[in-house]
Amino acid sequence: MTTSQVGDQDRSELLPRTAMFIDGEWCAASDGRTRSVDNPATEATLASVPLATAADLDRALAAAADGFARWRRASAWERSDVLRRMAFAIREQADRFALVMTLEQGKPVAQARGEVLASADQFDWYADEARRIYGRTVDGHRTDTRILVRREPVGPVAAFAPWNFPSLLSARKIAPAVAAGCSVVVMAPIEAPFSTLLFAEVAEQVGLPAGVLNIVTGEPPAVSRHLIESPVIRKVSLTGSVPVGVELAKLAATGMKTVSMELGGHAPVLVFPDADVRRAATVAALGKFRNAGQVCIAASRFIVHESVSEEFTEVFVEATRKLRVGDGRADGVDVGPLSTAGRRAAVQELVEDAVGRGATVRFGGSAPEEFQVGYFFTPTVLTDVEPDMRVMNEEPFGPIAPITTFVGFDEAIALGNATPYGLGGFVFTEDLTTAFRASEELEVGMVGVNHLTIATAEAPFGGVKVSGYGREGGTEGIDSYTVTKYTSMLLGERP
Ligand code: NAD
């Protein structure tokens, strides 16, 4: 089946079971309630998923407690083997998984396929990390004691993944949890749950023991509160918005649970006068509008030296004009719809605020007229942008590119650091000193120099400031799924 042939009638063959996955069983909500999931390109209902009740969540928690008791005793090689087989299974089914994601979330199918393969990378990466959870021995004060330091799994994890990368952002939590010997209850994003539920199919296919991976769907505030307040849960991991992160961190604090938070950003892109300006503008436009701009590390505020800003803007606008907006299933589409009607309304408001305060729309600025249905928004380029405009301060999470200018290095850094966010930052320059100085002075967790594609399984992904704490990926990724225990052994007399 080719992408463009996938019609409404084919959904049932593509989607996973429209149920929750608890203790190795697929199940409906105990009271039968459901919520529909829509295709953002057509606004048609794809299918419905259960709304978990408190009783359902209690079953998931009990399963996670049992699953943890078993899985913590599995050998590192066994955990590694399961993860490796999950990675293979995901790659083998990448075409189907990508179509599911396009249907529920809207991104073009080629981008969805790239995300599915990146999810497989997470499972592969943590298959290796599972066997590298090293302890150490320490020589202490006394010659008759031995201090052994060991890293043990933290316990059952409650994981919350958002709708913008519904496969990768779940994988970033499931894979390290399973690698470390934890069990996990994942709340699939209610807006786009099927990409996460597909991991339950994969777990069944490779024989992950029941209870190690549980996936629930439901009303986010009720589900997150119930799971985090349970004494079963020992760690909370969220990728989402700052307000939700603050809320969940407060809940976790009450039970002294460890927390990882990845809460989005508003990444500055500093373009210095010595940069390859045409290349920078082309790369920036393609990167900005990937996944319709709904990317936490998206290049988001373009801060360009005034001597090259007009050249940068012209090339950026030309690259933007060439992007094809449409249903992600159609061949050649670069920009799909926004994921929800609410997102499109929020993006429109940001544009109106900027224009009302004097910004110039160089391209786009509204929903394209040719679509009668679907949450589409034309990729938009704004200039004459001022620091007090909302688009320069709030994470736009949509296809808006504000371009502003600077004169000196210090001004560029000050503008780059001017928001409370600190996830990603980007620097375009051909000068080594500028590259080092700027990447060190940006208050962010990750920097890309002369490119934007910095998210990869082998690197520690995460932010500073309100963008959160904790790292996913790299050798750091497994740390927060383990706790350190030391044992001091007193030896007897030398025989
Ligand atoms: P939102 O804050 O309403 O929701 C964000 C996500 O959190 C959704 O998946 C939602 O279902 C879930 N959520 C909401 N309340 C929750 C709760 N109490 N417990 C657990 N999960 C909860 O925002 P939105 O309009 O859906 O998304 C836009 C904003 O979200 C963006 O501005 C961006 O800041 C943020 N976001 C960030 C990321 C990221 O990768 N860091 C991903 C998605 C959304």
Side-chain angles (χ1 to χ4, degrees), residues 72-119:
R72 68 179 310 175
R73 294 196 174 81
S75 76
W77 284 72
E78 190 182 334
R79 301 194 306 268
S80 171
D81 178 55
V82 163
L83 288 165
R84 186 81 68 209
R85 286 187 286 123
M86 288 182 83
F88 275 117
I90 293 164
R91 286 202 185 92
E92 269 179 12
Q93 302 170 85
D95 289 340
R96 176 184 153 222
F97 285 19
L99 280 170
V100 168
M101 196 189 309
T102 298
L103 284 171
E104 68 175 346
Q105 195 269 344
K107 73 184 61 165
V109 77
Q111 292 178 28
R113 195 168 189 282
E115 180 182 336
V116 171
L117 297 179
S119 300

Side-chain angles (χ1 to χ4, degrees), residues 46-314:
L46 277 178
S48 295
V49 287
L51 291 175
T53 62
D56 298 325
L57 297 173
D58 285 339
R59 284 197 306 114
L61 288 161
D66 289 349
F68 176 57
R70 280 195 295 278
W71 194 238
R72 68 179 310 175
R73 294 196 174 81
S75 76
W77 284 72
E78 190 182 334
R79 301 194 306 268
S80 171
D81 178 55
V82 163
L83 288 165
R84 186 81 68 209
R85 286 187 286 123
M86 288 182 83
F88 275 117
I90 293 164
R91 286 202 185 92
E92 269 179 12
Q93 302 170 85
D95 289 340
R96 176 184 153 222
F97 285 19
L99 280 170
V100 168
M101 196 189 309
T102 298
L103 284 171
E104 68 175 346
Q105 195 269 344
K107 73 184 61 165
V109 77
Q111 292 178 28
R113 195 168 189 282
E115 180 182 336
V116 171
L117 297 179
S119 300
D121 285 353
Q122 293 288 325
F123 285 90
D124 249 342
W125 175 256
Y126 286 104
D128 294 330
E129 289 302 291
R131 290 180 298 198
R132 294 184 193 134
I133 302 174
Y134 301 132
R136 66 191 198 279
T137 62
V138 181
D139 281 351
H141 278 66
R142 295 169 55 151
T143 57
D144 61 351
T145 56
R146 299 291 179 272
I147 295 172
L148 313 175
V149 181
R150 197 165 174 264
R151 284 162 66 198
E152 299 186 343
V154 62
V157 175
F160 304 91
W163 46 262
N164 59 331
F165 287 90
S167 175
L168 177 62
L169 300 181
S170 296
R172 276 194 188 153
K173 301 175 194 320
I174 297 168
V178 172
C182 301
S183 58
V184 56
V185 182
V186 185
M187 184 186 79
I190 194 71
E191 303 86 348
F194 298 116
S195 295
T196 300
L197 284 165
L198 283 168
F199 291 138
E201 270 191 15
V202 172
E204 281 188 314
Q205 287 162 7
V206 306
L208 183 70
V212 177
L213 171 63
N214 307 278
I215 304 179
V216 297
T217 48
E219 298 290 359
V223 173
S224 54
R225 174 174 286 275
H226 195 95
L227 292 180
I228 297 171
E229 285 183 345
S230 163
V232 168
I233 295 300
R234 295 309 321 154
K235 177 188 165 61
V236 175
S237 177
L238 167 78
T239 302
S241 64
V242 176
V244 173
V246 170
E247 194 55 38
L248 300 201
K250 282 184 192 162
L251 287 172
T254 309
M256 261 327 143
K257 297 167 189 200
T258 60
V259 177
S260 308
M261 291 280 167
E262 199 276 86
L263 304 180
H266 201 349
V269 182
L270 309 185
V271 182
F272 288 92
D274 55 60
D276 180 340
V277 175
R278 297 188 69 80
R279 184 182 161 277
T282 309
V283 167
L286 294 179
K288 166 69 227 180
F289 298 118
R290 192 170 63 94
N291 198 15
Q294 301 163 115
V295 184
C296 52
I297 51 159
S300 199
R301 291 175 294 136
F302 298 88
I303 300 164
V304 185
H305 193 269
E306 67 169 13
S307 67
V308 294
S309 72
E310 199 42 48
E311 181 187 3
F312 179 90
T313 304
E314 279 169 17

